[in-house]
Amino acid sequence: MKRTMKITTIERIDVSIPLEAPFTHGRVTQVSTTSIVLVHTDAGVTGIGNAEQGFKADLAERLLWGRNPLEIEATMAAMGRVRSAGVEIALWDIVGKVANQPIHRLLGACRDRIKAYVSMLSLQPPDEQARLAVAYLEEGFTAIKLRLHRPRLADDLAVIRAVRDAVGDDMEIMTDANQAFMPYGPLHWTLHTAQRAARALERLEVVWLEEPLHQLDTEGHRQLAESVDMPIAGGEGVTTVERFHEMLLSGGWDIIQPDVVFAGGILPTWKAAHLAEAHHKLCILAHVRWAGLQLLGAIPNCTHFEYMHDPPRLQTMFRRPLLNDPIEIHDGYVQIPQGPGLGITLNEEAIVTYRAPEPEPWI
């Protein structure tokens, strides 16, 4: 395989897979959608990436045609303000395929498997949520994340208490208030609400409280973290390494949670993870995608893998029919794929079956 190659074409593929039942999370969803970036080269090596919303493949191709995909930083710099995490991830996939190594080994490799936690989105009554938690425990999961979206904090706490009573000390419980962007309906947490929640959750031995305040509320997070013992997590919508640095310096987050696509790709996320390590903080990726799974094998200060799973309405992307070898959980752990690059291959028949209409070309 030659070490000098050129980017020839860049492709975006949108897929839309019907859900077994409608799912409500702020809005009603009946399909699961994913956008894929393919970066093709003159050497016959194609890189796969997770595309972000609004990605324009034709524009990216105009900017990067003829570039060497092995020079990731220089190639991404050539995109200027229209940088794409999907392209960056695809370039890493190419590098791994050329080196015949999975990406996590190229980044230093610290593990080959990691503990998964079931990340649920639906809001269930206390008895039903407890039943589901016990069912997941029996499947081998020993950690679960529950949402705090109810109009009354007391109702959220009743659910957490019911789950704790049902699973005892055999299962870790994480919580997510999802206050980082726009409140769900009329619900909005103040600093005082977040403090009350954190203290109550601590008594229930919850592992962390995620996104209790708006993501830009630096001072609020600092005051919250300073006033409670509960670890505060956040950062799933952060788009720059500089913002992670700012929040780590403020002391507002005990755990940073970059989303690989929102954060700009593999290298920016890896840089944020090492910033957190320098501050003796954890980095636990949000919405783990194909690229994120490789990063989990190279981030020593990461303890868990977010497994988005709330069937029949929500099925994690790793179990969709898009992959030839779907990534599964065994005994509560996920194996880091060991194949070259991302360690995955796409199911071409499924791509054809579920392909959605292409977006309008960029002019």
Side-chain angles (χ1 to χ4, degrees):
M1 184 71 66
K2 66 178 183 179
R3 265 51 177 178
T4 299
M5 58 180 66
K6 296 179 180 180
I7 294 171
T8 54
T9 57
I10 297 177
E11 184 180 2
R12 169 178 168 170
I13 298 176
D14 295 312
V15 294
S16 181
I17 303 174
L19 296 175
E20 294 180 21
F23 181 75
T24 302
H25 184 59
R27 59 187 176 89
V28 177
T29 302
Q30 297 186 355
V31 295
S32 177
T33 59
T34 297
S35 295
I36 302 167
V37 176
L38 298 179
V39 176
H40 304 281
T41 68
D42 64 350
V45 181
T46 296
I48 303 169
N50 302 104
E52 53 272 88
Q53 186 175 13
F55 171 70
K56 303 293 185 182
D58 51 345
L59 173 58
E61 183 178 308
R62 295 182 197 183
L63 293 171
L64 300 183
W65 185 87
R67 291 271 178 179
N68 186 346
L70 305 183
E71 298 173 353
I72 296 176
E73 289 272 34
T75 301
M76 295 309 298
M79 294 193 74
R81 294 184 178 181
V82 294
R83 287 190 180 194
S84 161
V87 170
E88 198 260 10
I89 292 165
L91 298 183
W92 275 102
D93 190 38
I94 291 171
V95 170
K97 288 172 177 174
V98 171
N100 197 31
Q101 292 291 331
I103 294 168
H104 73 279
R105 287 189 187 162
L106 300 179
L107 295 176
C110 60
R111 62 174 67 87
D112 58 13
R113 70 172 195 157
I114 191 166
K115 185 176 184 177
Y117 68 86
V118 176
S119 183
M120 300 188 67
L121 292 179
S122 60
L123 300 180
Q124 303 291 344
D127 56 346
E128 175 63 11
Q129 191 66 78
R131 185 193 68 79
L132 290 170
V134 170
Y136 285 129
L137 183 61
E138 292 173 347
E139 287 183 31
F141 291 96
T142 57
I144 189 170
K145 184 166 79 176
L146 306 173
R147 307 289 159 163
L148 307 177
H149 292 171
R150 295 164 183 84
R152 294 194 326 134
L153 177 59
D155 294 332
D156 282 324
L157 295 175
V159 171
I160 307 301
R161 190 174 298 109
V163 171
R164 174 56 72 209
D165 289 342
V167 301
D169 297 330
D170 296 329
M171 192 173 228
E172 294 177 301
I173 300 175
M174 296 79 164
T175 57
D176 189 347
N178 285 119
Q179 292 290 303
F181 303 105
M182 183 181 297
Y184 285 80
L187 179 64
H188 177 67
W189 279 24
T190 63
L191 173 60
H192 178 63
T193 303
Q195 289 171 325
R196 287 173 53 221
R199 289 163 184 153
L201 293 170
E202 183 183 356
R203 291 191 290 271
L204 294 169
E205 299 184 48
V206 167
V207 178
W208 72 65
L209 171 57
E210 182 175 335
E211 307 283 19
L213 300 170
H214 192 282
Q215 67 166 344
L216 297 180
D217 188 358
T218 304
E219 177 60 17
H221 278 96
R222 185 196 66 76
Q223 291 184 42
L224 175 61
E226 193 175 72
S227 62
V228 301
D229 293 328
M230 165 66 58
I232 304 301
E236 66 181 34
V238 171
T239 60
T240 66
V241 176
E242 289 79 5
R243 177 57 180 163
F244 283 114
H245 187 214
E246 180 183 14
M247 286 301 295
L248 288 165
L249 285 175
S250 76
W253 287 337
D254 302 291
I255 303 168
I256 67 167
Q257 297 176 305
D259 175 302
V260 179
V261 173
F262 290 163
I266 289 175
L267 202 53
T269 304
W270 198 52
K271 291 175 181 178
H274 283 289
L275 276 176
E277 185 180 24
H279 285 267
H280 308 289
K281 306 290 186 181
L282 295 178
C283 175
I284 301 176
L285 304 188
H287 319 135
V288 176
R289 309 165 196 250
W290 301 327
L293 196 51
Q294 284 294 325
L295 271 168
L296 296 181
I299 298 176
N301 51 321
C302 182
T303 57
H304 294 79
F305 155 60
E306 182 170 24
Y307 187 66
M308 303 290 293
H309 191 57
D310 202 345
R313 296 170 177 85
L314 175 67
Q315 295 285 348
T316 177
M317 67 184 302
F318 297 109
R319 300 189 68 169
R320 292 175 185 168
L322 300 183
L323 302 183
N324 286 319
D325 297 302
I327 297 163
E328 304 288 352
I329 306 295
H330 297 287
D331 298 323
Y333 282 78
V334 63
Q335 292 289 135
I336 311 298
Q338 298 299 308
L342 292 175
I344 62 170
T345 57
L346 298 177
N347 182 328
E348 298 298 337
E349 291 185 6
I351 295 294
V352 171
T353 299
Y354 297 112
R355 187 160 187 166
E358 295 184 8
E360 293 295 323
W362 180 85
I363 299 176

